[in-house]
Amino acid sequence: MKIKVVLTLLLICVSTLTFAQNKYIVKANEAYARENFCDAAELCKTAYSKLTRKGSSAQSKKADMAFKAAECYRHTERYREANEWYDRAILLEHQDDEPLVYLYNADMLLKMREFDKAKTNYEKYKSLVPGDARAASGIESCTDNRVYIAEKLPYVIENQTSINKPEFDMSPVFGDRKLTKMYFGSSRPGSTGKDINPRSCEPYMDLWISELDKKGNWTDPYLVKGEGINTEDDEGTLCFDERKKKMFFTRCPNMRKQNLGCDIWVSEIKGKTEWKEPTKLKLKSHDSVSVGHPCTKDGKFLIFASDMAGGYGGRDLWYTTYDRKSDEWAMPKNMGPEINTKGNELFPTFALNGDLLFSTDGRPGLGGLDIFRATKVGEENKWENPQNVGSPINGENNDFSMIEKDKRFGYFTSERKGPNGENIPDIYSYEQPPYIYSLKIIAEDLGENNAPLEGATITVSGPDGTWTGISEEDGSIFWDKKPAGDRYINEAKSYTIKIAKDGYYEDAKGLELTTVGLDYDQDFVMNMGLFPKRPIRLPEVRYVLNKWEFINDETCMSKDSLEFVYTILTEHPELVLQLNSHTDSRGRNDRNQILSENRARACYKYLVEERGIDPRRIIPVGKGEEDPRMVYLQNGEYHASDRAGGEPTRLIESYINGFRRSNKDLFSALHTMNRRTDGAVFSLEFDPETAPAADPKYLTYLKY
């Protein structure tokens, strides 16, 4: 009898304990189902603490409460707490029932920049759910995150402290054509709703306005005026038509024990400062569905975010069109896989050029929601190829609601750590500093195989003025900053550059430089050359003894040497070149003259017939032995150029003959130096339309 009593009491205690545990679980699940995450987090933690790990059923329930507590923290942007509770769920093997615990835990670790741990959990999730693209996207994010940070764009990011408060401030948009009124959502003191929103653990949000003063500073915000605009519910993310006559905004009601989704409302302007009572757009099939984050330009084509059935993942971007005759909005259509992913797509806005800006956590990025830019396709309402806008606009926390004021400046919302040290939504500005340009000119002597030209005067003229400089020993001159700190080369400007030096032909054409349309930093390096008034020294061309046949063997590739002439002519289409061939002084004068003319014509024929140079641009001249070469003697060596210094020495016959007996090798070498082909500028004004015909005799050889 006593045993039966004990067993009965034991069963009663167990039943009572089980009932108590189930009561906590029921309350937690009810709050969680209504998305009252603020309350549900504590209820799930309480239920978790009441449950034991003994037995598979109890462990499963305990793991479920840990997972839901983590989910509550994830939805209320408390990532470290979420990570802690996901870890607990994993220790209780909740991944066997819900593999998403790995995915969401990895998402939190990515936000915390623990890339290796995040990648491990993404890989674990991928092994359990191989078809989910979010795993691959997460793995790629862990790898590319360092790349995004390394390739940080030169934006200046600034917290708008004159607008932001310690509470939520988010989703700015301009409410007038002059871009002097900023509308945004905020949960700051003074809002209509007085309670705490159980979804966000923050006060309810209202729509606020800040205006620019005459100094360009944002003034203290005030509530948007109009009957029925701000209520005790959440009012947030909004947009306007291009005339700023219609305002579309998001409202999210919260009624006890009801699972209600958000809606889009529209209001028309009333006077200059107020709005009429709004009406709700009929876009959804059930009250539990959420629609919000409206985006429009003309008030007739509306993009929005929703979790309605038929999407690709969490919340997708959808669109609808307005029919004026029926005064109704068409059945929403999904924007398709080009935009939407398995994750969430939210906060759409239009860029100035019509591109679509939106945030997603379903593509590789830096963590959480990243802002992407999709390119508009023609005049259609279609967008493609979304690209991450990169760091520093995007960071490891949520970034969204980007608007452009101009091509360089705009605003967005970010949950990065603010001035108060907390990760809450604040409004930030971004500004791209002026592009930085520098200019380096390298002056070259075109008669010395493009050798550096020292002492050339470089003149740059542009809309900001004219300045000059002298090239240094290496031929270069460099400009970046002026003494006052401003720059020589500036944005959206065009410049003309000229080069000049005594003893050289004028460069009448010069160079043009423009930064118009150049949307990135650039170090300009430009080569400028001048043709000397002295003979142009060409690479060595050798001929068979007493002939005009080129030598092309291991000792000298004469045709390769003529490629230098070809290059000069193709790079300088205004040039007409006189090719002068010389012989040494040995042999009869008349035969040397004919030999030199035939050698000049051999060069001419090669460049015209084999390389396609316009024959009117070359004049072959035979100089015979009448123009001995000037060389430069330094330390017993003869140089063809004066760049190494040395004593000028003309290789006349009597000078060379002085070595006939004393130094036969030098005697022969000096004669060889006289046998040459060089060039001279005949004209720098070649015009193919007006130039006279070439002399046909240049294509035939003289009798030798």
Side-chain angles (χ1 to χ4, degrees), residues 330-396:
M331 180 76 68
K333 294 183 179 180
N334 193 285
M335 295 193 71
E338 187 67 39
I339 299 297
N340 294 313
T341 68
K342 187 79 171 176
N344 295 288
E345 281 68 46
L346 303 165
F347 301 103
T349 60
F350 286 120
L352 294 176
N353 67 350
D355 287 352
L356 180 65
L357 301 166
F358 66 97
S359 289
T360 178
D361 58 10
R363 297 177 183 273
L366 284 90
L369 291 170
D370 272 12
I371 300 172
F372 279 72
R373 186 184 193 112
T375 304
K376 193 175 193 306
V377 180
E379 297 302 317
E380 304 175 65
N381 286 319
K382 184 179 179 182
W383 293 264
E384 64 182 10
N385 192 28
Q387 296 293 314
N388 194 304
V389 301
S391 174
I393 292 178
N394 286 323
E396 65 269 23

Side-chain angles (χ1 to χ4, degrees), residues 652-664 666-667 670-671:
I652 59 176
E653 185 175 9
S654 60
Y655 179 83
I656 297 175
N657 285 340
F659 302 99
R660 182 193 297 270
R661 292 184 176 85
S662 61
N663 192 336
K664 291 184 178 180
L666 180 59
F667 172 80
L670 295 178
H671 273 303

Side-chain angles (χ1 to χ4, degrees), residues 422-567:
E422 295 185 12
N423 296 96
I424 60 170
D426 270 347
I427 296 171
Y428 288 79
S429 65
Y430 70 89
E431 182 175 16
Q432 185 175 20
Y435 297 117
I436 296 175
Y437 305 118
S438 66
L439 173 61
K440 181 179 182 180
I441 299 295
I442 300 175
E444 298 174 335
D445 188 332
L446 299 179
E448 291 285 346
N449 198 16
N450 297 346
L453 182 60
E454 182 181 3
T457 300
I458 313 296
T459 303
V460 185
S461 301
D464 303 323
T466 299
W467 66 92
T468 62
I470 305 298
S471 61
E472 299 180 2
E473 184 179 358
D474 64 354
S476 70
I477 185 168
F478 180 77
W479 291 287
D480 54 358
K481 283 185 180 181
K482 295 180 180 179
D486 52 337
R487 304 191 75 84
Y488 285 97
I489 307 297
N490 296 301
E491 289 184 30
K493 302 289 177 64
S494 296
Y495 302 86
T496 300
I497 309 170
K498 294 291 184 70
I499 180 173
K501 186 179 181 181
D502 289 342
Y504 289 78
Y505 288 98
E506 179 187 1
D507 176 26
K509 189 175 181 181
L511 291 178
E512 299 289 334
L513 180 154
T514 184
T515 60
V516 175
L518 194 63
D519 295 338
Y520 48 85
D521 296 343
Q522 178 71 54
D523 295 318
F524 292 97
V525 179
M526 308 180 80
N527 295 63
M528 300 187 72
L530 288 175
F531 287 104
K533 293 181 178 179
R534 66 177 188 276
I536 299 173
R537 186 165 60 90
L538 305 179
E540 185 176 15
V541 178
R542 290 185 185 177
Y543 308 89
V544 177
L545 182 64
N546 283 329
K547 294 184 179 181
W548 43 92
E549 179 183 339
F550 296 129
I551 291 177
N552 280 293
D553 58 23
E554 65 276 3
T555 63
C556 180
M557 294 298 294
S558 297
K559 287 187 177 181
D560 287 350
S561 299
L562 287 173
E563 286 300 302
F564 174 79
V565 181
Y566 171 79
T567 300

Side-chain angles (χ1 to χ4, degrees), residues 75 101 153 221 269 303 395 439 483 521 535 629 631 650 690:
H75 285 293
V101 67
L153 298 170
I269 193 73
I303 298 175
L439 173 61
D521 296 343
R629 190 173 202 166
V631 294
R650 180 75 66 178
T690 60

Side-chain angles (χ1 to χ4, degrees), residues 200-214:
S200 64
C201 305
E202 286 286 321
Y204 283 95
M205 298 180 66
D206 275 352
L207 300 180
W208 293 74
I209 304 175
S210 178
E211 298 188 39
L212 280 177
D213 62 19
K214 293 181 179 180

